[in-house]
C-alpha cells in the first residue's frame, strides 16, 4: 500500500461523521442547523466529489451567535488571564493530538499539498501557545506621571468580535485571528469561507472540548452575502477581522460604517521579488520559486512578480523555466506532490483566464499555461516572461501558481516597477549590497519586506500591508491593540490648584 493509499484510508475514517451528519453551526456551545434549515454542499477540488452538506446560516443565525457572544463576554472578560492561558494551552495540546486529522481534511477540502499542510496544525497550535502566554499581561499598560497626577494606562477587551477567514490555509489563519481575540478577553463569532468549512468545525469542537465556556466562540457557516453581511452589520459586534480580497474588504468597511465598527483587514497582494545582479542567484531562485508555487500559489504573500536585472535575466529565466517544468503536480495527499488542485471551479476559471490574457497583452507563456489532468481543478505551474508592469498579469492578483517575470536595468527602475501597483503587502529583495538593501527597503511601499530570504514568519513581528493590501497589523502586541481599547486613569497625587468658577 502506498503512502497515498494509506492517507486516503485514514481520511475516509475522519470524513465518515461529516458525511453522516454534515457540518452544522456551533452557537452557545450547541450544535445547530441553520435557522432556515438550508444547507449547501462542500466539494473536494481533487475530483469535484461532494464531501458533505453544510449549514447555510443567515442573519437569524448570526444574531443568535452574537447574542451568545454578548452574554458570555462579561465572564470571559473578567476571568483571570492566567485561567484564559490554561484554556488556550489546552486547545493547543488538543490541536497537536488531532494534527493528522486536521491536515488530511484540509488537504481534501482545499487541494493544498500534504507536504505543506502536515505542519498546518502545529503552526496553529503555536499560535495558541504564543497568545496564551501573553494573556496574563494583555491588560498591562504604562505609568506616565506628571507634576500633579499619577497617570496610568490599561487595556480592556473591546467586546464581541466577528472573524471572517479565507479558504487558503483556513486552519492556520483561523488560529492566527481567533487566538489573540480570546487571549485579549473578547468573545468571537467566526464565519469561515464557504469553500473550506471542515477544519473550522474541527477547531471549534477542540476549543469546547478543551473547556472554553459556551458562547465565547461561536461558529456560523454560510455565504458572504448573507451570513457575512449580517455579521459585519450587526450592532453588537464591535470589530471585524477579515482576511480575503481587497474588494471584499472595501465592501465590509462600507457595511460596518453605520455602526462605526473597527476593522482589521489582511487583503490582497501583487508582491515583487527583486533580484539584483549581485545577489546569490541560486538562493534567490529557490526562494522565488518557493514563494509563488508553494501552497498552489494561493497565498497573499506570494511573490507573484519577479523583477530581475537585465544583465542576469536570460540565465535566471532559463533556470527558472527548467525548475518550473519539473514541479510535481498531483494528488494533495501524495507526500511527493508539490502542487495540488485549485480550491474550486470558480477560482480555477479565474486563474486559467489569465493564460489567454497574457498572450493578448504580448507576454510569453514560457512554462505551463494549461490545465493538468482530466478531472479536478489542477493547473500546470505557469511562468510568463517578456512582461511589462502595465500588463494585467503584472497588476491583478491571480492567486494561483502563476509567476510574471519583468526585467529592469537600474535600481530606480526596479523601485518604480515594485511600487507600481495598488497593492503593498510584501516584498522580497535579493542583493549583497548592504547599502542598497537599506536604501531600497526604505523606499519600498510594502508592509513587510524580507532581504535575502523567503517569507519567514516570526510571531512577535507586525504582519500586514499598506495601500490596497490591508489595514492594521497582526502579531505580538499589535494584535492586542486591535482587540482591546486603551484606557487612561489619572490619580491626583496631592491638592493641586483647581480653578474656581462662580466662587466669590
Amino acid at each position: 500500500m502506498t503512502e497515498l493509499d494509506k492517507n486516503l484510508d485514514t481520511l475516509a475514517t475522519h470524513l465518515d461523521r461529516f458525511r453522516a451528519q454534515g457540518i452544522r453551526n456551533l452557537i452557545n456551545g450547541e450544535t445547530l442547523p441553520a435557522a432556515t434549515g438550508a444547507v449547501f454542499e462542500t466539494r473536494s477540488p481533487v475530483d469535484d466529489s461532494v464531501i458533505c452538506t453544510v449549514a447555510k446560516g443567515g442573519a437569524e443565525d448570526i444574531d443568535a451567535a452574537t447574542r451568545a457572544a454578548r452574554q458570555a463576554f462579561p465572564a470571559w472578560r473578567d476571568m483571570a488571564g492566567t485561567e484564559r492561558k490554561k484554556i488556550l494551552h489546552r486547545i493547543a495540546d488538543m490541536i497537536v493530538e488531532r494534527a493528522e486529522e486536521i491536515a488530511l481534511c484540509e488537504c481534501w477540502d482545499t487541494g493544498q499539498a500534504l507536504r505543506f499542510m502536515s505542519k498546518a496544525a502545529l503552526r496553529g497550535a503555536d499560535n495558541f501557545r504564543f497568545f496564551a502566554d501573553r494573556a496574563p499581561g494583555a491588560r498591562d499598560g504604562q505609568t506616565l506621571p506628571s507634576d500633579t497626577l499619577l497617570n496610568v494606562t490599561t487595556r480592556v477587551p473591546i467586546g464581541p468580535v466577528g472573524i471572517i477567514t479565507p479558504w487558503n490555509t483556513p486552519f492556520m489563519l483561523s488560529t492566527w485571528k481567533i487566538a489573540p481575540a480570546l487571549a485579549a478577553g473578547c468573545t468571537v463569532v467566526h464565519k469561515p469561507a464557504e469553500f473550506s468549512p471542515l477544519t473550522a468545525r474541527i477547531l471549534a469542537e477542540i476549543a469546547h472540548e478543551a473547556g472554553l465556556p459556551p458562547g465565547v466562540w461561536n461558529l456560523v457557516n454560510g455565504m458572504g452575502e448573507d451570513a457575512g453581511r449580517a455579521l459585519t452589520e450587526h450592532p453588537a459586534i464591535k470589530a471585524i477581522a477579515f482576511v480575503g480580497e481587497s474588494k471584499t474588504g472595501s465592501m465590509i468597511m462600507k457595511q460596518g460604517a453605520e455602526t462605526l465598527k473597527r476593522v482589521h483587514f489582511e487583503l490582497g497582494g501583487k508582491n515583487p521579488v527583486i533580484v539584483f545582479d549581485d545577489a546569490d542567484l541560486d538562493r534567490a531562485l529557490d526562494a522565488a520559486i518557493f514563494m509563488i508555487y508553494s501552497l498552489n500559489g494561493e497565498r497573499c504573500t506570494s511573490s507573484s512578480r519577479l523583477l530581475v536585472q537585465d544583465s542576469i535575466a536570460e540565465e535566471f529565466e532559463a533556470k527558472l523555466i527548467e525548475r518550473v517544468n519539473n514541479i510535481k503536480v498531483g494528488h494533495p495527499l501524495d507526500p511527493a506532490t508539490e502542487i495540488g488542485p485549485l480550491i474550486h471551479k470558480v477560482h480555477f476559471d479565474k486563474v486559467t483566464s489569465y493564460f489567454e490574457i497574457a498572450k493578448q497583452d504580448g507576454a510569453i507563456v514560457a512554462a505551463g499555461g494549461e490545465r493538468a489532468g482530466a478531472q479536478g481543478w489542477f493547473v500546470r505551474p505557469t511562468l510568463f516572461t517578456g512582461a511589462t508592469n502595465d500588463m494585467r498579469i503584472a497588476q491583478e492578483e491571480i492567486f494561483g501558481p502563476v509567476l510574471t517575470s519583468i526585467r529592469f536595468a537600474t535600481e530606480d527602475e526596479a523601485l518604480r516597477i515594485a511600487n507600481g501597483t495598488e497593492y503593498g503587502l510584501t516584498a522580497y529583495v535579493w542583493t549583497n549590497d548592504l547599502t542598497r538593501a537599506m536604501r531600497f527597503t526604505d523606499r519600498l511601499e510594502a508592509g513587510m519586506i524580507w532581504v535575502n530570504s523567503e517569507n519567514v514568519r516570526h510571531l512577535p513581528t507586525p504582519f500586514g500591508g499598506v495601500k490596497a493590501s490591508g489595514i492594521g497589523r497582526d502579531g505580538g502586541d499589535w494584535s492586542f491593540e486591535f482587540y482591546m481599547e486603551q484606557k487612561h486613569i489619572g490619580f491626583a497625587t496631592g491638592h493641586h490648584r483647581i480653578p474656581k468658577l462662580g466662587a466669590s
Side-chain angles (χ1 to χ4, degrees), residues 40 49 61 79 119 153 197 220 326 338 356 360 364 420 482:
F40 63 95
S49 61
D61 305 283
M79 179 183 289
K119 303 291 192 208
T153 69
V220 178
N326 201 40
E338 295 174 312
E356 187 60 35
Q360 292 172 359
I364 299 167
F482 176 69

Side-chain angles (χ1 to χ4, degrees), residues 90 122 212 282 415 447:
R90 283 200 294 270
L122 303 183
L212 197 72
D282 289 336
L415 185 70

Side-chain angles (χ1 to χ4, degrees), residues 290-309:
F290 177 77
M291 282 309 303
I292 183 59
Y293 297 113
S294 61
L295 300 180
N296 300 348
E298 295 168 326
R299 63 159 89 187
C300 58
T301 57
S302 67
S303 53
S304 54
R305 288 184 299 152
L306 168 64
L307 279 54
V308 58
Q309 197 153 22

Side-chain angles (χ1 to χ4, degrees), residues 32-260:
L32 300 169
T36 63
V39 297
F40 63 95
E41 292 178 340
T42 184
R43 293 174 173 266
S44 173
V46 176
D47 56 8
D48 202 35
S49 61
V50 175
I51 300 175
C52 65
T53 60
V54 185
K56 188 178 181 182
E60 189 174 344
D61 305 283
I62 289 292
D63 185 61
T66 301
R67 282 188 279 109
R70 185 167 52 186
Q71 290 167 4
F73 173 64
W76 183 247
R77 174 197 63 200
D78 297 338
M79 179 183 289
T82 51
E83 294 303 310
R84 288 202 299 274
K85 174 182 176 178
K86 292 177 184 177
I87 293 174
L88 297 187
H89 268 293
R90 283 200 294 270
I91 294 173
D93 291 341
M94 295 180 70
I95 287 173
V96 173
E97 290 173 9
R98 296 175 68 174
E100 182 184 59
E101 174 190 3
I102 291 164
L104 294 177
C105 287
E106 187 118 308
C107 290
W108 190 246
D109 204 18
T110 68
Q112 294 289 353
L114 183 62
R115 67 166 54 213
F116 302 115
M117 289 302 100
S118 63
K119 303 291 192 208
L122 303 183
R123 286 189 65 191
D126 285 345
N127 287 336
F128 267 92
R129 294 196 199 286
F130 177 85
F131 287 107
D133 288 340
R134 281 154 179 77
R139 297 188 64 162
D140 287 355
Q142 300 181 54
T143 301
L144 304 167
S146 65
D147 291 341
T148 58
L149 295 171
L150 175 62
N151 298 286
V152 298
T153 69
T154 185
R155 290 185 298 205
V156 293
I158 194 170
V161 298
I163 293 176
I164 303 174
T165 51
W167 44 258
N168 63 315
T169 61
F171 184 85
M172 194 280 294
L173 286 171
S174 294
T175 65
W176 183 232
K177 295 294 182 182
I178 295 172
L182 297 178
C186 293
T187 52
V188 170
V189 178
H190 179 204
K191 197 216 81 76
E194 55 267 28
F195 287 168
S196 56
L198 263 66
T199 55
R201 174 68 199 195
I202 295 171
L203 181 57
E205 289 174 355
I206 287 173
H208 286 81
E209 291 168 12
L212 197 72
V216 172
W217 181 342
N218 305 276
L219 173 72
V220 178
N221 294 282
M223 304 298 160
E225 59 269 27
D226 300 320
R229 179 163 190 159
L231 183 60
T232 60
E233 292 182 345
H234 201 290
I237 294 294
K238 302 302 181 183
I240 293 287
F242 168 74
V243 183
E245 291 184 330
S246 300
K247 289 181 180 178
T248 308
S250 176
M251 190 182 308
I252 289 172
M253 182 173 279
K254 292 175 185 175
Q255 292 168 357
E258 188 170 334
T259 54
L260 299 177

